[in-house]
Amino acid sequence: MVAIYDITNFPIVKVDLSGNIYNHYDFNTFTSNWLDLYKLKQNFEFEFDTKNTGYINPIYCLYTAFFIKSIKKQNPQYLKKSKIYVYNNYIFKLAQFIFYIEKPVAPVELILINKDGTSNTKYINV
């Protein structure tokens, strides 16, 4: 999986998630870039775009939940909110599962974009 972090409009960080997660290296690249943002010591917001995301093995939901749990220990907490744009029900359900296992670091808007252009938003609080 390729996770392209765009900090051009910081403090809004756009993350384009494309492809599949094939192995731990792909996952660790995603999380290490996330952790690098904490080194800036400035508040930030995420906007994740999953339009080009392929198959994700559900085991990575558990890894993501564990990662979220560990990142909550960051003090101070610089992540203030996230928006996650999702374009299929499979990825939407995976995201919901992650936040079922572990509450997010900051409030999340989980936005399902339907094929007809309409959207459904689920708000997930800390």
Side-chain angles (χ1 to χ4, degrees):
M1 172 174 13
V2 176
I4 299 170
Y5 285 72
D6 179 359
I7 60 170
T8 304
N9 295 313
F10 196 85
I12 296 172
V13 178
K14 294 186 177 192
V15 183
D16 180 9
L17 301 173
S18 298
N20 305 316
I21 296 178
Y22 291 107
N23 52 45
H24 292 301
Y25 175 80
D26 291 340
F27 183 76
N28 289 336
T29 300
F30 166 68
T31 57
S32 66
N33 287 330
W34 184 329
L35 289 171
D36 284 344
L37 292 168
Y38 281 83
K39 294 175 185 175
L40 300 174
K41 298 185 182 210
Q42 296 181 41
N43 292 338
F44 66 95
E45 302 174 9
F46 273 132
E47 285 188 11
F48 292 97
D49 186 344
T50 67
K51 190 172 200 170
N52 298 312
T53 301
Y55 174 76
I56 303 296
N57 186 321
I59 191 71
Y60 290 104
C61 291
L62 292 174
Y63 293 147
T64 302
F66 295 146
F67 174 73
I68 290 170
K69 185 173 185 158
S70 72
I71 206 136
K72 284 181 176 179
K73 297 174 185 173
Q74 296 282 341
N75 192 11
Q77 186 53 250
Y78 295 112
L79 176 59
K80 296 304 174 190
K81 70 178 183 178
S82 297
K83 288 183 181 180
I84 306 171
Y85 296 96
V86 181
Y87 299 85
N88 70 60
N89 283 319
Y90 177 70
I91 301 298
F92 189 77
K93 297 259 187 227
L94 289 180
Q96 286 182 302
F97 184 59
I98 291 167
F99 297 124
Y100 174 77
I101 297 169
E102 185 66 41
K103 293 287 185 195
V105 172
V108 171
E109 282 182 66
L110 185 57
I111 304 160
L112 176 61
I113 309 294
N114 300 307
K115 291 181 182 183
D116 64 4
T118 61
S119 64
N120 298 328
T121 302
K122 179 170 181 152
Y123 296 93
I124 304 167
N125 292 312
V126 182

